[in-house]
């Protein structure tokens, strides 16, 4: 029974053989495995070597810094800084000279502009009065006697008074179409009569009456208010210049309706304030009155 059981079990009896073969393979690839003591010695030696290299590097760096501080070479950092500073100073001087030149040029331009403005104001003459245009004409009239003779004949009314023939013609012309004073008086009477008749017609003509169309919102106290009675009370208001129009009930909410009524009023006789006061007198039915629309007719 035991042998049968072991036959069916999967046990690796010869595992040590494979382990030895694997160890030998890796030893051939990487060399023999060193012991722990050998590893410690090798680690110590590597640390000592690193320390020695670090000391050498420190000494070399100290020696190099001392040599550069004691005797700097032409290609050192200080030389580079000195050359850069010198270049910057040269550029600064060049910029200063450029700025000075620009300032000088600007000052010259300003002086030239001032001189030009003064010269332009001095050379521009003031506007000549209209009498100066007449002077050359007088000189020409003196130099050329024929023109002097022609000018008075061309416009005699400008230099002298009207001639006797012109005065006779003016006497003959009557602007009002009358030959004597009696006819002038009659024309004046006719004109006054016509003016009086026109004034009477104008006074009899009726003037324009300013009217307005108003749409009122009359609100009740609650939904139990008798809206028909409220409308009857509103229409019972009678005034000179007030005419009631159509009306309707508009729902507001929660079963409450407002009365919307139209009316036409004469502006000189009926005002909106008086109309609202008269409607709000019916306190049992009316809560408030608002103007929904107001239009001039």
């Amino acid at each position: 029974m035991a042998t049968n059981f072991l036959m069916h079990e999967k046990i690796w009896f010869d595992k040590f053989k494979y382990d030895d073969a694997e160890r030998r393979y890796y030893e051939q690839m990487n060399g023999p495995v060193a012991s722990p003591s050998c590893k410690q010695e090798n680690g110590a030696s590597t640390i000592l070597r690193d320390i020695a290299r670090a000391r050498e590097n420190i000494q070399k760096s100290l020696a190099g810094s001392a040599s550069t501080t004691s005797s700097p070479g032409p290609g050192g950092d200080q030389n580079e800084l000195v050359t850069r500073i010198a270049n910057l100073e040269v550029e600064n001087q060049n910029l200063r000279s450029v700025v000075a030149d620009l300032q000088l040029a600007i000052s010259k331009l300003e002086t030239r502009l001032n001189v030009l403005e003064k010269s332009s104001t001095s050379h521009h003459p003031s506007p000549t009065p209209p009498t100066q245009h007449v002077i050359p004409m007088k000189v020409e009239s003196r130099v050329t006697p024929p023109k002097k003779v022609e000018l008075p004949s061309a416009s005699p009314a400008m230099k002298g008074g009207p001639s006797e023939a012109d005065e006779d013609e003016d006497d003959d012309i009557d602007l009002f179409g009358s030959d004597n004073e009696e006819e002038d008086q009659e024309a004046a009477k006719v004109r006054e009569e016509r003016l009086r008749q026109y004034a009477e017609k104008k006074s009899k003509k009726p003037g324009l009456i300013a009217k307005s169309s108003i749409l009122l919102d009359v609100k009740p106290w609650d939904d139990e208010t008798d809206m028909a009675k409220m409308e009857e009370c509103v229409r019972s208001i009678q005034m000179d210049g007030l005419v009631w129009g159509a009306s309707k009930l508009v729902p507001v909410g929660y079963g409450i309706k407002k009365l919307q009524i139209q009316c036409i009023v004469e502006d000189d006789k009926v005002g909106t304030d008086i109309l609202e006061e008269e409607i709000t007198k019916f306190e049992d039915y009316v809560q408030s009155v608002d103007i929904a629309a107001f239009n001039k007719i």
Side-chain angles (χ1 to χ4, degrees):
M1 294 290 291
T3 55
N4 292 329
F5 178 74
L6 291 173
M7 287 174 64
H8 293 291
E9 284 292 331
K10 295 180 180 180
I11 298 173
W12 197 359
F13 292 103
D14 52 355
K15 182 178 182 298
F16 64 93
K17 295 180 181 180
Y18 293 97
D19 292 338
D20 292 338
E22 185 178 0
R23 181 174 54 77
R24 286 195 297 271
Y25 173 74
Y26 284 113
E27 284 179 356
Q28 291 178 359
M29 295 292 294
N30 300 326
V33 180
S35 61
S37 60
C38 292
K39 289 182 179 178
Q40 290 179 358
E41 290 177 358
N42 293 329
S45 63
T46 54
I47 290 170
L48 290 172
R49 284 197 300 272
D50 293 337
I51 291 169
R53 288 177 183 173
R55 285 178 180 175
E56 290 178 359
N57 292 328
I58 290 168
Q59 289 177 0
K60 287 179 181 179
S61 63
L62 289 173
S65 63
S67 63
T68 53
T69 54
S70 61
S71 60
D77 295 335
Q78 291 183 356
N79 289 332
E80 291 180 359
L81 289 173
V82 170
T83 54
R84 289 181 67 184
I85 290 168
N87 293 328
L88 289 174
E89 288 180 354
V90 172
E91 291 179 358
N92 192 6
Q93 290 178 359
N94 292 330
L95 290 174
R96 286 181 180 176
S97 63
V98 171
V99 170
D101 294 337
L102 288 174
Q103 289 178 352
L104 183 62
I106 290 169
S107 63
K108 289 180 179 179
L109 286 173
E110 288 180 352
T111 53
R112 288 184 66 186
L113 285 173
N114 292 328
V115 171
L116 289 173
E117 288 178 356
K118 290 179 181 179
S119 63
S120 63
T121 52
S122 61
H123 285 297
H124 279 296
S126 60
T128 57
T131 55
Q132 291 181 0
H133 295 286
V134 183
I135 291 170
M137 295 177 67
K138 289 182 179 180
V139 172
E140 289 178 359
S141 63
R142 291 177 183 176
V143 175
T144 58
K147 289 185 178 179
K148 187 176 180 180
V149 176
E150 290 176 0
L151 283 172
S153 63
S155 58
M158 292 175 65
K159 290 189 176 181
S163 60
E164 294 180 357
D166 294 335
E167 289 180 356
D168 294 336
E169 289 178 357
D170 291 337
D171 292 337
D172 294 336
I173 296 171
D174 189 0
L175 298 176
F176 295 99
S178 59
D179 296 331
N180 50 21
E181 295 179 356
E182 293 180 356
E183 291 182 358
D184 293 339
Q185 292 177 359
E186 290 179 357
K189 289 179 180 179
V190 170
R191 185 169 61 254
E192 289 177 359
E193 183 66 22
R194 288 179 180 176
L195 289 172
R196 186 180 61 77
Q197 291 176 359
Y198 177 74
E200 288 180 357
K201 289 181 180 179
K202 191 174 181 181
S203 61
K204 291 179 181 179
K205 186 178 180 180
L208 294 175
I209 299 173
K211 294 183 180 181
S212 300
S213 175
I214 304 173
L215 183 64
L216 298 173
D217 285 344
V218 184
K219 298 178 182 178
W221 289 102
D222 50 19
D223 56 346
E224 296 180 356
T225 304
D226 189 358
M227 300 302 293
K229 186 66 177 175
M230 186 175 71
E231 183 179 358
E232 185 180 351
C233 294
V234 171
R235 289 184 180 276
S236 65
I237 299 171
Q238 300 293 331
M239 296 182 186
D240 187 15
L242 172 63
V243 178
W244 293 105
S247 63
K248 64 178 179 178
L249 298 177
V250 180
V252 178
Y254 302 101
I256 301 173
K257 296 181 179 180
K258 65 180 179 181
L259 175 65
Q260 201 170 67
I261 187 168
Q262 184 85 22
C263 66
I264 297 173
V265 299
E266 294 182 9
D267 296 340
D268 295 336
K269 296 179 180 179
V270 181
T272 56
D273 296 335
I274 298 172
L275 194 59
E276 289 178 4
E277 289 177 1
E278 291 293 329
I279 294 173
T280 51
K281 286 181 180 179
F282 302 102
E283 298 177 354
D284 296 337
Y285 302 100
V286 179
Q287 178 193 8
S288 63
V289 180
D290 295 327
I291 298 174
F294 188 92
N295 298 315
K296 291 285 185 180
I297 298 176

